[in-house]
Amino acid sequence: MRRGMEDPAGFRHALLAWYADRRRDLPWRHTSDPYAILVAEVLLQQTRVETGEAYYRRLLERFPSVESLADAQEEEVLRVWEGLGYYRRARHLHRAAQEIVAKHEGRVPRDPEVLESLPGVGPYTAGAVASIAYGVPVPAVDGNVTRVVSRLYAVEEDVTRTTTQRRIRRKAADLVPAQDPGAFNQALMDLGAQVCLPRRPRCAACPVTSWCEARSRGVEGSLPRTPRRKEVPTVAAAFALVEREGRILLVRREADDLLGGLWALPGGELRPDEVPEQGLRRLVREQCGAAVRAEAPVGSHRHTFSHRRWAARAFRCRLVDKSDAGKGRWVPREELADLPLVPFHRDFLDRSADPSLDDFA
Ligand code: SF4
């Protein structure tokens, strides 16, 4: 028989007992430093835990305090972040550190509302930092928690709608205990990650099955409800590898562009009617003021963003008409390691430097 949530004490007890036994051993669970917890939570916004662990260690090794992060150049932060994607998060975290130093005396704020005023910090991150680092009894509703709560209460509405998200947040807030809310929030997240799985929830192994409305109605497999995913369009893109006396022509991608803030080979999306050779002539002229001619393919790569996919190709190109590429930057090959580069461009460059790989296309 299903137990009600009117008095959630039994539910919390069952969940926390399970968590004490089965919690995931993650590096940010061994610290009470609010800065380290903020770094972890920003990292995990769109990253799998397994991938996030390595980057968490790298970031804290390179920037062990909020002051060291605030003092860093944006390029240094992006270099450590390189390969993780969603580069806006890195730039936001950097600016958040600067605000913490400038406005909050170097202390990560405790109040969730103040936390939310920092760049890149939304309700989830604010709730996670406030509850885990400071013991503030507020919910931290990420994708895992949304799924668990929507099933516990058999929420039938589309969970991507703002009204449904508010409802789920209210439900989650009712469940959070005054005592150790951080452990409770992490227990809900772990339940979502290990037991209440997206496609096949493992209800037989679930510690809170007696409180689950979706399970009691047999609808757990069809929740949470989300709209059908739209097809991600594939767009052709081309990039120019121009080398002169051991230096590579690079441009810095605009902050608002895809892969914004990173250094890149000049190029980008082709127009529907363009072949790569034409598109490269146009793009390199626009971005660097140089005239180039594409000569040989260097490599290809498919890169998926949240809303589109690039079918990207790179071509070794030659400057024509003694063009000087005044708007680009010529970077010696040996200095590429210090710059935050579009990761698949780094692959193109590495391969182009390896004479044993002459068939790249
Ligand atoms: Fe999820 Fe099943 Fe547990 Fe309900 S009983 S919370 S659906 S795993």
Side-chain angles (χ1 to χ4, degrees):
M1 196 181 73
R2 181 179 179 265
R3 297 190 225 179
M5 285 288 198
E6 299 75 31
D7 175 13
F11 169 83
R12 291 174 185 144
H13 182 77
L15 181 64
L16 285 167
W18 172 83
Y19 181 63
D21 201 31
R22 300 295 175 89
R23 57 182 274 168
R24 291 174 293 174
D25 184 21
L26 302 170
W28 45 88
R29 290 186 174 168
H30 295 280
T31 180
S32 54
D33 175 6
Y35 163 68
I37 291 166
L38 174 66
V39 169
E41 292 304 336
V42 172
L43 261 177
L44 294 173
Q45 282 169 8
Q46 272 128 335
T47 300
R48 294 166 61 85
V49 162
E50 302 75 39
T51 316
E53 283 192 53
Y55 280 86
Y56 172 80
R57 292 185 211 279
R58 279 172 63 182
L59 272 161
L60 284 187
E61 211 173 276
R62 182 71 189 74
F63 310 113
S65 65
V66 69
E67 288 81 8
S68 59
L69 179 58
D71 286 346
Q73 296 294 315
E74 186 181 287
E75 280 195 1
E76 292 176 72
V77 182
L78 286 168
R79 180 69 186 93
V80 181
W81 200 279
E82 186 185 307
L84 195 54
Y86 299 96
Y87 295 92
R88 189 172 297 163
R89 280 181 304 167
R91 298 202 308 274
H92 279 156
L93 179 64
H94 184 218
R95 280 181 33 223
Q98 290 172 333
E99 268 192 35
I100 290 167
V101 169
K103 295 189 188 162
H104 304 286
E105 299 170 340
R107 279 198 290 276
V108 174
R110 181 183 196 279
D111 181 335
E113 276 187 31
V114 182
L115 277 162
E116 271 197 61
S117 72
L118 296 172
V121 176
Y124 163 73
T125 307
V129 172
S131 63
I132 298 168
Y134 295 114
V136 180
V138 286
V141 181
D142 66 352
N144 281 329
V145 173
T146 296
R147 185 170 60 255
V148 173
V149 173
S150 75
R151 285 171 173 166
L152 286 172
Y153 292 92
V155 175
E156 297 279 353
E157 291 83 24
D158 172 356
V159 293
T160 63
R161 294 182 57 187
T162 314
T163 45
T164 318
Q165 285 172 0
R166 266 196 225 118
R167 187 175 160 213
I168 286 178
R169 204 176 141 73
R170 277 198 304 274
K171 300 269 184 215
D174 290 343
L175 295 176
V176 176
Q179 188 83 16
D180 206 353
F184 179 83
N185 284 336
Q186 291 178 96
L188 270 185
M189 290 176 209
D190 276 19
L191 188 75
Q194 299 184 75
V195 178
C196 195
L197 302 173
R199 293 218 186 99
R200 291 199 184 157
R202 298 170 48 223
C203 303
C206 180
V208 294
T209 190
S210 339
W211 286 271
C212 184
E213 181 67 28
R215 175 71 174 160
S216 84
R217 291 191 205 164
V219 295
E220 67 276 10
S222 62
L223 296 179
R225 293 215 197 286
T226 51
R228 258 177 170 250
R229 278 205 170 196
K230 280 196 199 133
E231 273 288 303
V232 175
T234 298
V235 181
F239 296 91
L241 197 163
V242 191
E243 186 161 11
R244 192 173 67 182
E245 294 162 8
R247 292 167 182 259
I248 306 290
L249 179 61
L250 296 180
V251 290
R252 186 144 190 226
R253 296 188 62 82
E254 299 286 335
D256 294 340
D257 279 352
L258 296 168
L259 306 163
L262 297 184
W263 286 89
L265 300 174
E269 292 187 8
L270 301 174
R271 292 174 179 157
D273 55 346
E274 274 178 333
V275 296
E277 290 77 1
Q278 285 174 313
L280 281 176
R281 275 203 299 276
R282 172 180 63 81
L283 288 159
V284 180
R285 194 173 51 245
E286 285 169 8
Q287 294 169 11
C288 307
V292 295
R293 185 172 56 235
E295 297 204 313
V298 176
S300 60
H301 176 84
R302 290 175 89 78
H303 191 89
T304 304
F305 301 96
S306 53
H307 62 299
R308 65 211 287 111
R309 185 176 297 122
W310 276 356
R313 297 177 73 195
F315 292 80
R316 197 176 268 285
C317 295
R318 185 182 292 278
L319 284 176
V320 294
D321 303 332
K322 297 208 169 97
S323 222
D324 71 354
K327 288 195 274 174
R329 179 165 144 189
W330 291 99
V331 179
R333 268 196 184 265
E334 58 275 17
E335 290 177 20
L336 293 173
D338 300 329
L339 282 184
L341 260 181
V342 170
F344 67 89
H345 290 189
R346 193 181 292 287
D347 291 343
F348 290 152
L349 284 160
D350 288 348
R351 303 197 77 199
S352 72
D354 185 343
S356 68
L357 299 166
D358 55 9
D359 180 15
F360 298 122

